[in-house]
Amino acid sequence: ITATKVAQYFLTRKELTPKKLQKLVYYAYAWFVALNNDSADDIKNVLFAEVPQAWVHGPVFPSLFREYREYGWNEVKKLKGRIKFANDDVQALLEVIWSKFGGYSADELEAMTHNELPWREARAGVPFLAPSDKELSLSTIFTYYNELSEKAV
């Protein structure tokens, strides 16, 4: 699995801007980490190997940025067909992410990530509009979203 394949999954639903794709893929990644590990000290299971970076507009996967850079602020065309994953749990998680976050705009999703600890922690000490390639902490992602899942129960 790659960030691009997860983005393609969401693009089978509708046209999306690169920024919205980034946020949807980030939420899929973050919730996968939170739900598929037992401890913040021992993160063994990730959706894919790339770790998100704390860019100005929220968490970003550089490979995904490069893939859709040419679209700028414009929407990427909807893909025909369906993207299937070998693991049914991944498929189910992506369905939940789409149903929970797919209705938000890219700007709303950006604001949400800006209010969450993983991005804020990684941006600590970085001026507001300054570029950054600092990676979000997997242990912070696990702890933050795991606590959110416990509150939701």
Side-chain angles (χ1 to χ4, degrees):
I1 298 177
T2 64
T4 299
K5 185 163 183 183
V6 175
Q8 289 170 343
Y9 173 86
F10 293 125
L11 284 169
T12 65
R13 301 299 189 247
K14 66 183 282 189
E15 292 183 350
L16 300 165
T17 64
K19 183 163 81 167
K20 185 165 180 175
L21 278 174
Q22 286 282 0
K23 303 311 163 250
L24 291 170
V25 173
Y26 168 71
Y27 278 124
Y29 182 92
W31 281 103
F32 186 92
V33 168
L35 298 172
N36 290 282
N37 289 281
D38 296 323
S39 163
D41 299 324
D42 190 26
I43 306 295
K44 292 181 179 172
N45 300 305
V46 292
L47 188 54
F48 46 82
E50 188 176 8
V51 177
Q53 295 179 352
W55 288 22
V56 171
H57 294 286
V60 168
F61 296 96
S63 67
L64 198 55
F65 174 79
R66 289 187 298 275
E67 180 75 24
Y68 296 109
R69 172 191 308 211
E70 67 189 83
Y71 291 91
W73 300 105
N74 300 307
E75 291 182 330
V76 179
K77 290 185 180 181
K78 180 180 177 185
L79 298 176
K80 294 180 181 178
R82 292 279 181 220
I83 303 292
K84 292 285 187 188
F85 295 89
N87 184 328
D88 288 341
D89 292 339
V90 169
Q91 196 86 23
L93 173 66
L94 296 181
E95 283 296 319
V96 170
I97 296 300
W98 178 253
S99 66
K100 174 74 176 155
F101 298 104
Y104 290 102
S105 73
D107 290 338
E108 289 170 323
L109 292 170
E110 176 183 344
M112 289 164 63
T113 62
H114 280 204
N115 287 317
E116 296 172 349
L117 182 61
W119 182 83
R120 287 191 350 255
E121 178 184 89
R123 289 289 298 184
V126 177
F128 184 67
L129 293 175
S132 172
D133 61 359
K134 287 180 156 182
E135 291 183 346
L136 278 66
S137 159
L138 291 180
S139 63
T140 301
I141 288 171
F142 171 84
T143 301
Y144 182 82
Y145 293 101
N146 202 14
E147 287 175 5
L148 279 181
S149 72
E150 290 173 3
K151 289 178 186 174
V153 174

